[in-house]
């Protein structure tokens, strides 16, 4: 059995060593043009040439949660595309989103601004019931975030393409439930996969449908957000602020208005990073299962895009 590794901007040797240890007896190698055909591939942002040369692959393991960039390439028709189920990302995502929600709700950003000026200030405590949180996307990451926020006694709404049930979460689904979901939410968290249907989903219409004083947290993909629409709604006062971890162009270009906007917090696509050891264990387990002819979780539906 052969496994090939092709991950752009990723230190390859620790991954190769880990995969060899987890898959004893397997030929694990770094891909280069002309590399012999492999059975399985571990990839991140591979070039089209990779798939042109590796047309016989049985399965391709993507080391990030999102597969939108991968699905833009011409892939072998028989190859399963397998995404990581979690690999340590869900707890990181829950930390990030809970921090952003609580920082806004408790006005810690305003306190920080005051203390930098040497100002001892007081703000009247807000009512938690006035800050219902809406989670767009109830996959592995979204469900973990929703459950974590519920532990802080926020009212949590969830919206997904198909109907789901999550304890402690008011769930909405489909196009018919989207407007009701937005109207029930003041804080909006995007954890959707990027597909043609979800591109630009955070726009003037959806932002305007949130409760007044809405707050946006985008930890999915930059293309979900229409940037000018957010800026306009911030200017109008309907949206109170945003925490953004993902952007249409990354790194965020110098001079972009998000850098200096007083109501926007920017982080450099760091809300949830792939943890190598957990990812390797998951990939090795799934390769072993596929070799035994068993189904595995995380197989991407190419038609749906996730």
């Amino acid at each position: 059995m052969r496994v090939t590794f092709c991950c752009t901007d990723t230190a390859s040797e620790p991954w190769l060593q880990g995969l060899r240890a987890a898959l004893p007896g397997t030929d694990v190698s770094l891909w280069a043009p002309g590399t012999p055909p492999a059975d399985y591939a571990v990839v991140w942002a591979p070039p089209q040439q990779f798939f042109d040369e590796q047309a016989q692959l049985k399965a391709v393991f993507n080391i990030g949660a999102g597969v939108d960039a991968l699905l833009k390439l011409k892939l072998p028709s028989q190859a399963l595309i397998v995404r990581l189920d979690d690999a340590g990302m869900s707890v990181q995502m829950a930390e990030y989103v809970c921090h952003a929600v609580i920082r806004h709700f408790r006005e810690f950003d305003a306190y920080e601004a005051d203390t930098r000026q040497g100002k001892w200030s007081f703000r009247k405590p807000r009512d938690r019931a006035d800050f219902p949180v809406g989670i767009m996307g109830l996959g592995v990451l979204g469900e973990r975030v929703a459950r974590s926020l519920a532990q802080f006694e926020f009212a949590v709404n969830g919206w997904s393409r198909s109907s789901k049930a999550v304890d402690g979460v008011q769930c909405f689904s489909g196009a018919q439930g989207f407007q009701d979901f937005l109207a029930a939410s003041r804080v909006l968290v995007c954890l959707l996969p990027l597909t043609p249907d979800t591109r630009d989903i955070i726009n003037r219409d959806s932002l305007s449908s949130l409760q007044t004083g809405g707050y946006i947290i985008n930890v999915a993909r930059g293309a979900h957000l229409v940037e000018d629409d957010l800026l306009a709604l911030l200017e109008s006062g309907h949206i109170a602020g945003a925490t953004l971890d993902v952007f249409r162009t990354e790194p965020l270009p110098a001079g972009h208005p998000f850098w200096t906007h007083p109501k926007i917090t920017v982080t450099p696509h760091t809300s949830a990073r792939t943890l190598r050891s957990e990812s390797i264990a998951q990939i090795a387990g799934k390769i072993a299962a596929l070799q035994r002819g068993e189904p595995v979780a995380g197989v991407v539906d190419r038609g749906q895009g996730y």
Side-chain angles (χ1 to χ4, degrees):
M1 182 173 65
R2 290 181 55 86
V3 174
T4 186
F5 182 86
C6 181
C7 296
T8 303
D9 297 328
T10 302
S12 60
E13 196 55 37
W15 282 89
L16 296 173
Q17 292 177 2
L19 287 165
R20 288 167 184 153
L23 294 165
T26 300
D27 182 350
V28 180
S29 61
L30 179 65
W31 178 79
T35 296
D39 301 292
Y40 301 98
V42 179
V43 304
W44 179 252
Q48 181 60 56
Q49 183 182 0
F50 173 80
F51 290 112
D52 293 343
E53 294 187 5
Q54 296 287 326
Q56 73 300 316
L57 289 166
K58 299 176 183 177
V60 178
F61 294 87
N62 194 57
I63 66 169
V67 295
D68 46 287
L70 188 60
L71 293 179
K72 293 177 182 177
L73 302 176
K74 184 178 180 181
L75 305 172
S77 59
Q78 81 288 345
L80 296 176
I81 309 301
V82 188
R83 54 177 167 73
L84 296 177
D85 302 324
D86 183 340
M89 287 185 282
S90 67
V91 65
Q92 295 177 69
M93 194 65 81
E95 290 170 345
Y96 183 100
V97 174
C98 287
H99 174 270
V101 171
I102 293 167
R103 181 172 181 263
H104 173 62
F105 169 66
R106 294 286 303 274
E107 298 186 90
F108 289 145
D109 51 348
Y111 283 118
E112 289 167 9
D114 286 349
T115 57
R116 282 195 295 269
Q117 299 175 30
K119 181 180 178 181
W120 186 275
S121 61
F122 173 79
R123 286 172 171 77
K124 181 181 178 181
R126 291 166 154 178
D127 188 341
R128 198 174 302 270
D130 291 336
F131 286 81
V133 182
I135 311 293
M136 291 198 298
L138 290 175
V140 172
L141 301 183
E143 184 172 333
R144 177 63 179 267
V145 168
R147 292 182 185 277
S148 298
L149 285 166
Q151 292 296 309
F152 289 100
E153 300 183 14
F154 287 101
V156 181
N157 305 310
W159 180 79
S160 53
R161 181 175 178 271
S162 55
S163 180
K164 293 194 175 183
V166 180
D167 289 343
V169 179
Q170 183 180 12
C171 293
F172 301 80
S173 63
Q176 71 280 5
F178 190 51
Q179 287 301 317
D180 290 341
F181 161 77
L182 293 171
S185 304
R186 182 167 176 178
V187 178
L188 183 67
V189 181
C190 184
L191 277 158
L192 292 168
L194 182 62
T195 70
D197 289 337
T198 65
R199 183 177 294 273
D200 298 332
I201 195 170
I202 310 175
N203 54 40
R204 184 180 295 271
D205 289 342
S206 57
L207 290 169
S208 298
S209 297
L210 293 172
Q211 296 175 11
T212 301
Y215 194 84
I216 311 305
I217 301 168
N218 189 13
V219 287
R221 286 291 185 267
H224 285 123
L225 172 66
V226 180
E227 296 179 348
D228 287 343
D229 289 357
L230 172 61
L231 291 169
L233 270 291
L234 286 167
E235 182 67 24
S236 75
H238 183 73
I239 299 300
T243 293
L244 306 175
D245 187 54
V246 290
F247 308 92
R248 287 181 178 265
T249 301
E250 295 183 2
L252 187 65
H256 193 288
F258 286 174
W259 280 118
T260 56
H261 198 291
K263 296 180 180 179
I264 295 177
T265 297
V266 168
T267 56
H269 203 147
T270 193
S271 53
R273 305 296 294 270
T274 300
L275 299 183
R276 186 173 60 245
S277 60
E278 295 188 27
S279 299
I280 288 171
Q282 186 179 134
I283 291 168
K286 290 185 177 184
I287 288 176
L290 290 172
Q291 284 291 97
R292 295 191 299 266
E294 299 171 0
V296 297
V299 175
V300 172
D301 183 323
R302 298 195 195 190
Q304 293 185 352
Y306 57 91

